[in-house]
Every structure is written in C-alpha cells, then in structure tokens.
Amino acid sequence: MKPQSQLGDAPLPVHVAIIMDGNGRWASARGLPRTEGHRRGAESVRTVIKAASRLGVRYLTLFGFSSENWKRPSGEVMDLMGLLRLYLRKELAELHKQGVRFRVIGDRSRLSVDIQDLIIVAEQRTRANVGLNLVLALSYGGRAEIVNSARNMAERVKSGELDPENIDEDLFAKSLETADIPDPDLLIRTSGEQRLSNFLLWQTAYTELVFTDTLWPDFRTEEFELALSQYQSRDRRYGSVGV
Ligand code: IPE
Ligand code: IPE
Ligand code: MG
C-alpha cells in the first residue's frame, strides 16, 4: 500500500535545497565500497526530482560535489566524476521529458572537459522548459561564490561602470551565480550532520533548516514529504513579529 502523504494545506516551499550526505556511511554499514553508496544516492536523486516536480516545487538545488570534495582520495573523486558523467548521459532525455530545466552552479572549469560539454548540452537542451528548475551544485563553494562576486564588482568599480554607493544587497545577490533564482525556502541535510559545509552561504540567510538522520541513499519520497511537512509547520518571521 502506498503510504499516505504527510503534507498539510500550508504553502510548500518554492525552492528546496538539499545537502545529500551519508552515501559513504550507507555503504560502509553494508560492507560495500563507498561508490556503491554514491550509486544508490543517484537513485534518490531521481526519486526526489520526480517528487518535487509532482508536488509543484519550482526550484530544487542539489549539492552534488563541493569545492572541498576535491580533497578526497583520487579514486573516490574519479568514481564520483564517472557517476556524474553517466548521470548526465543517461538522465538528460528523461529530465527533458519531465519538462525540467537543468543548470549547474559552481566552478565547472575544474571538471573534465567532456563533463563540461555534457553540462552545456543539458543546459541548452532544457533551457526553454517550464517545469521544475533543477540546479546542480558541482565543485561549488559558497565562500568562493561570494568572493567572485566581490571581485566582479570591484572590477566594475575600477572601470568606472559601477559607483560603490550603489552596491546594496540586491545588486550583490544579482552578481552571484544564483542571480535569477529565489533564495531557498527550505534546506534539507541528510545523515545527521548539522552544518552547511560551505553550501549557499549568502542565499540561506532566512532559509528554514531541516536535518534528518536518514542517509541520502535511503532518502526517498516519504522522507522528502516529511521534510516538506516540517517546513509547513514553521513560522517564518524574518526578524519581525509572528502573525
Ligand atoms: C555525500 O555522501 C556525497 C558527496 C559528498 C559527494 P558522502 O560521500 O559525504 O558520505 P559520508 O558523509 O562519508 O557518509
Ligand atoms: C557536503 O558533504 C557536500 C555534498 C553533500 C556534496 P560533505 O560530506 O563533503 O561535508 P562534510 O565534510 O561532512 O562537512
Ligand atoms: Mg559526507
């Protein structure tokens, strides 16, 4: 029997961001290589994209690989890049069919050229789609994104194009990679860790945080809906007084 949806009537988040963590521990607990955890994690990605599309979530940002993950053993980095390559090749047609608009944030120049090409193809093919906006953060670091933005504005000031007086929060946000994406309403982190690990530092200023002990490969529709229902019970005050 299909489990009953746990969702209430309150509005759902427009933008959900997820730190997909715990693949390694999922595999270790079963005596499997870490790669197997990443492979199973890719299945959770598929499931959550479908659930988000079905529920009408407009933006889904998934943390796939951080700027710090390059520090992992080269074998694991290679495995992760192999899975990413496979995912981009295999899933594009399905994503397109679902009306998903796909894009990548992060320092893509560090990815291998063939993966960069696959990303360009996926972004171009899906750019006119009007369904779920899927944002994959790859080789992404929040601090690097903020520093790049500051550098970009400093260059515009130097060239006389920008008056420092005109730098405000809106302008700053517009010079980030997420310029045309609303801030996340809800951020989910799986696997029991309660930290941001350099994800969307600027954008999460007023994001609701949900932490779950579930490891990412076990995070499927039911867990996703549970996180959404927790969001629905929150009172977002933005520093003001409640209603
Ligand atoms: C998340 O799972 C995937 C990536 C960070 C790429 P981990 O690989 O971090 O799994 P744990 O945290 O070691 O269990
Ligand atoms: C964050 O997870 C990055 C991704 C999920 C892609 P990590 O597993 O790299 O984070 P830490 O090292 O536990 O902070
Ligand atoms: Mg981890």
Side-chain angles (χ1 to χ4, degrees):
M1 201 176 74
K2 209 170 179 294
Q4 260 224 303
S5 169
Q6 3 222 355
L7 297 173
D9 295 330
L12 285 171
V14 171
H15 182 174
V16 179
I18 308 184
I19 302 177
M20 312 182 288
D21 199 11
N23 295 350
R25 277 162 285 168
W26 183 93
S28 299
R30 288 160 180 77
L32 299 168
R34 290 176 62 86
T35 320
E36 191 53 23
H38 297 315
R39 207 187 58 73
R40 282 292 293 255
E43 290 173 28
S44 297
V45 169
R46 243 167 252 137
T47 306
V48 168
I49 290 171
K50 278 209 183 104
S53 290
R54 172 173 56 82
L55 293 165
V57 170
R58 297 300 305 135
Y59 296 85
L60 179 67
T61 301
L62 301 176
F63 203 3
F65 193 87
S66 76
S67 45
E68 289 72 33
N69 287 150
W70 292 112
K71 291 189 289 202
R72 293 193 178 193
S74 60
E76 178 164 352
V77 171
M78 267 171 61
D79 285 346
L80 281 165
M81 291 301 147
L83 273 172
L84 173 62
R85 187 177 284 117
L86 201 71
Y87 181 86
L88 290 168
R89 281 205 193 118
K90 274 179 53 185
E91 300 296 318
L92 175 59
E94 178 60 28
L95 291 175
H96 189 48
K97 204 170 96 194
Q98 287 176 40
V100 170
R101 180 176 175 197
F102 174 84
R103 25 192 169 157
V104 164
I105 56 170
D107 182 6
R108 61 176 78 188
S109 72
R110 293 184 74 181
L111 303 170
S112 67
V113 174
D114 73 305
I115 292 181
Q116 292 184 39
D117 289 344
L118 287 168
I119 290 169
I120 291 171
V121 169
E123 287 179 332
Q124 286 179 350
R125 176 126 179 244
T126 63
R127 73 184 315 146
N129 288 348
V130 294
L132 175 74
N133 287 278
L134 173 64
V135 183
L136 192 56
L138 293 176
S139 190
Y140 173 87
R143 285 187 172 177
E145 184 188 28
I146 291 169
V147 168
N148 285 339
S149 173
R151 187 187 306 112
N152 171 271
M153 272 182 298
E155 274 161 9
R156 285 166 63 195
V157 166
K158 194 176 162 197
S159 72
E161 182 200 330
L162 177 65
D163 180 347
E165 290 278 316
N166 292 333
I167 299 178
D168 60 12
E169 289 183 15
D170 263 356
L171 189 86
F172 200 93
K174 286 201 174 70
S175 68
L176 295 170
E177 283 197 83
T178 51
D180 59 337
I181 300 172
D183 288 342
D185 301 293
L186 167 65
L187 178 128
I188 303 167
R189 182 166 189 154
T190 59
S191 87
E193 310 299 347
Q194 303 195 355
R195 54 176 171 262
L196 286 176
S197 299
N198 205 11
F199 191 39
L200 300 176
L201 298 181
W202 170 278
Q203 297 86 343
T204 50
Y206 267 102
T207 299
E208 295 296 327
L209 309 177
V210 167
F211 299 106
T212 167
D213 287 339
T214 303
L215 302 173
W216 178 251
D218 289 329
F219 190 91
R220 300 294 162 96
T221 308
E222 208 178 327
E223 285 76 17
F224 185 56
E225 290 196 5
L226 187 63
L228 295 178
S229 74
Q230 280 180 259
Y231 170 84
Q232 287 182 315
S233 69
R234 301 283 175 90
D235 178 17
R236 302 185 78 185
R237 289 193 289 277
Y238 301 97
S240 182
V241 289
V243 282

mmCIF file of all heavy atoms in Angstrom, residues 12 19-20 27 51 74 98 129 135 139 143 154 179 187 200-201 232 234:
data_model
loop_
_atom_site.group_PDB
_atom_site.id
_atom_site.type_symbol
_atom_site.label_atom_id
_atom_site.label_comp_id
_atom_site.label_asym_id
_atom_site.label_seq_id
_atom_site.Cartn_x
_atom_site.Cartn_y
_atom_site.Cartn_z
ATOM 1 N N LEU A 12 3.756 25.103 0.176
ATOM 2 C CA LEU A 12 5.008 24.342 0.064
ATOM 3 C C LEU A 12 6.133 25.322 -0.262
ATOM 4 O O LEU A 12 5.884 26.418 -0.767
ATOM 5 C CB LEU A 12 4.885 23.312 -1.065
ATOM 6 C CG LEU A 12 4.029 22.092 -0.754
ATOM 7 C CD1 LEU A 12 3.811 21.264 -2.024
ATOM 8 C CD2 LEU A 12 4.684 21.231 0.324
ATOM 9 N N ILE A 19 21.453 19.126 0.912
ATOM 10 C CA ILE A 19 22.819 18.627 1.079
ATOM 11 C C ILE A 19 22.684 17.109 1.196
ATOM 12 O O ILE A 19 22.232 16.582 2.211
ATOM 13 C CB ILE A 19 23.505 19.233 2.323
ATOM 14 C CG1 ILE A 19 23.528 20.770 2.221
ATOM 15 C CG2 ILE A 19 24.932 18.667 2.468
ATOM 16 C CD1 ILE A 19 24.114 21.479 3.441
ATOM 17 N N MET A 20 23.026 16.452 0.111
ATOM 18 C CA MET A 20 22.793 15.000 0.002
ATOM 19 C C MET A 20 23.980 14.282 0.650
ATOM 20 O O MET A 20 24.987 14.030 0.000
ATOM 21 C CB MET A 20 22.697 14.614 -1.478
ATOM 22 C CG MET A 20 21.764 15.513 -2.296
ATOM 23 S SD MET A 20 21.629 15.004 -4.013
ATOM 24 C CE MET A 20 23.219 15.449 -4.667
ATOM 25 N N ALA A 27 27.072 2.863 2.617
ATOM 26 C CA ALA A 27 27.796 1.735 2.032
ATOM 27 C C ALA A 27 28.596 0.983 3.098
ATOM 28 O O ALA A 27 28.530 -0.249 3.177
ATOM 29 C CB ALA A 27 28.713 2.238 0.914
ATOM 30 N N ALA A 51 9.440 13.606 -7.297
ATOM 31 C CA ALA A 51 8.512 14.040 -6.239
ATOM 32 C C ALA A 51 8.385 15.561 -6.238
ATOM 33 O O ALA A 51 7.277 16.096 -6.136
ATOM 34 C CB ALA A 51 8.994 13.538 -4.879
ATOM 35 N N SER A 74 41.877 10.299 -4.718
ATOM 36 C CA SER A 74 41.612 10.473 -6.158
ATOM 37 C C SER A 74 40.706 9.375 -6.709
ATOM 38 O O SER A 74 39.913 9.617 -7.618
ATOM 39 C CB SER A 74 42.911 10.548 -6.937
ATOM 40 O OG SER A 74 43.623 9.350 -6.747
ATOM 41 N N GLN A 98 10.345 15.312 -18.646
ATOM 42 C CA GLN A 98 9.591 15.799 -17.471
ATOM 43 C C GLN A 98 9.456 17.329 -17.457
ATOM 44 O O GLN A 98 8.889 17.895 -16.525
ATOM 45 C CB GLN A 98 10.290 15.368 -16.176
ATOM 46 C CG GLN A 98 10.168 13.890 -15.836
ATOM 47 C CD GLN A 98 10.990 13.540 -14.580
ATOM 48 O OE1 GLN A 98 11.034 14.281 -13.610
ATOM 49 N NE2 GLN A 98 11.651 12.403 -14.620
ATOM 50 N N ASN A 129 12.472 24.820 -21.011
ATOM 51 C CA ASN A 129 11.487 24.053 -20.244
ATOM 52 C C ASN A 129 10.910 24.881 -19.100
ATOM 53 O O ASN A 129 11.608 25.712 -18.523
ATOM 54 C CB ASN A 129 12.124 22.765 -19.696
ATOM 55 C CG ASN A 129 12.367 21.747 -20.799
ATOM 56 O OD1 ASN A 129 11.861 21.909 -21.908
ATOM 57 N ND2 ASN A 129 13.140 20.720 -20.500
ATOM 58 N N VAL A 135 18.820 22.686 -10.128
ATOM 59 C CA VAL A 135 20.148 23.307 -10.072
ATOM 60 C C VAL A 135 21.088 22.321 -9.394
ATOM 61 O O VAL A 135 20.838 21.906 -8.266
ATOM 62 C CB VAL A 135 20.106 24.637 -9.277
ATOM 63 C CG1 VAL A 135 21.479 25.304 -9.291
ATOM 64 C CG2 VAL A 135 19.029 25.570 -9.820
ATOM 65 N N SER A 139 31.410 21.212 -7.765
ATOM 66 C CA SER A 139 32.641 21.944 -7.470
ATOM 67 C C SER A 139 32.249 23.325 -6.938
ATOM 68 O O SER A 139 32.825 24.339 -7.296
ATOM 69 C CB SER A 139 33.503 22.079 -8.746
ATOM 70 O OG SER A 139 34.769 22.577 -8.406
ATOM 71 N N ARG A 143 31.729 30.332 -0.181
ATOM 72 C CA ARG A 143 32.665 31.441 0.020
ATOM 73 C C ARG A 143 33.287 31.873 -1.300
ATOM 74 O O ARG A 143 33.426 33.069 -1.568
ATOM 75 C CB ARG A 143 33.759 31.030 1.007
ATOM 76 C CG ARG A 143 33.264 30.988 2.425
ATOM 77 C CD ARG A 143 34.406 30.745 3.378
ATOM 78 N NE ARG A 143 33.960 30.894 4.758
ATOM 79 C CZ ARG A 143 34.721 30.680 5.812
ATOM 80 N NH1 ARG A 143 35.981 30.286 5.647
ATOM 81 N NH2 ARG A 143 34.261 30.853 7.024
ATOM 82 N N ALA A 154 34.283 44.786 -7.805
ATOM 83 C CA ALA A 154 35.481 45.639 -7.690
ATOM 84 C C ALA A 154 35.984 46.013 -9.086
ATOM 85 O O ALA A 154 36.370 47.161 -9.337
ATOM 86 C CB ALA A 154 36.576 44.904 -6.901
ATOM 87 N N ALA A 179 21.804 34.405 -9.442
ATOM 88 C CA ALA A 179 21.167 35.705 -9.669
ATOM 89 C C ALA A 179 19.654 35.642 -9.914
ATOM 90 O O ALA A 179 18.896 36.404 -9.337
ATOM 91 C CB ALA A 179 21.854 36.401 -10.827
ATOM 92 N N LEU A 187 16.044 24.146 3.452
ATOM 93 C CA LEU A 187 17.266 23.399 3.205
ATOM 94 C C LEU A 187 17.225 22.104 4.019
ATOM 95 O O LEU A 187 16.966 22.134 5.220
ATOM 96 C CB LEU A 187 18.510 24.205 3.591
ATOM 97 C CG LEU A 187 19.812 23.422 3.385
ATOM 98 C CD1 LEU A 187 20.796 24.216 2.551
ATOM 99 C CD2 LEU A 187 20.474 23.039 4.683
ATOM 100 N N LEU A 200 25.653 27.453 -0.279
ATOM 101 C CA LEU A 200 24.731 28.590 -0.388
ATOM 102 C C LEU A 200 24.750 29.521 0.827
ATOM 103 O O LEU A 200 23.694 29.823 1.399
ATOM 104 C CB LEU A 200 23.304 28.062 -0.618
ATOM 105 C CG LEU A 200 23.095 27.230 -1.881
ATOM 106 C CD1 LEU A 200 21.672 26.678 -1.935
ATOM 107 C CD2 LEU A 200 23.377 28.029 -3.154
ATOM 108 N N LEU A 201 25.945 30.001 1.196
ATOM 109 C CA LEU A 201 26.075 30.776 2.438
ATOM 110 C C LEU A 201 25.261 32.071 2.404
ATOM 111 O O LEU A 201 24.609 32.429 3.373
ATOM 112 C CB LEU A 201 27.553 31.093 2.694
ATOM 113 C CG LEU A 201 28.453 29.874 2.897
ATOM 114 C CD1 LEU A 201 29.887 30.320 3.157
ATOM 115 C CD2 LEU A 201 27.951 29.027 4.071
ATOM 116 N N GLN A 232 6.180 23.088 6.530
ATOM 117 C CA GLN A 232 4.826 23.659 6.592
ATOM 118 C C GLN A 232 4.434 24.083 8.009
ATOM 119 O O GLN A 232 3.581 24.940 8.182
ATOM 120 C CB GLN A 232 3.806 22.651 6.064
ATOM 121 C CG GLN A 232 3.856 22.484 4.551
ATOM 122 C CD GLN A 232 2.806 21.507 4.053
ATOM 123 O OE1 GLN A 232 2.628 20.433 4.622
ATOM 124 N NE2 GLN A 232 2.114 21.865 2.981
ATOM 125 N N ARG A 234 6.479 25.463 10.159
ATOM 126 C CA ARG A 234 7.346 26.540 10.655
ATOM 127 C C ARG A 234 6.655 27.906 10.534
ATOM 128 O O ARG A 234 5.845 28.128 9.655
ATOM 129 C CB ARG A 234 8.662 26.581 9.860
ATOM 130 C CG ARG A 234 9.491 25.299 9.910
ATOM 131 C CD ARG A 234 10.239 25.158 11.215
ATOM 132 N NE ARG A 234 10.932 23.863 11.280
ATOM 133 C CZ ARG A 234 12.178 23.645 10.846
ATOM 134 N NH1 ARG A 234 12.865 24.625 10.288
ATOM 135 N NH2 ARG A 234 12.729 22.445 10.955
#
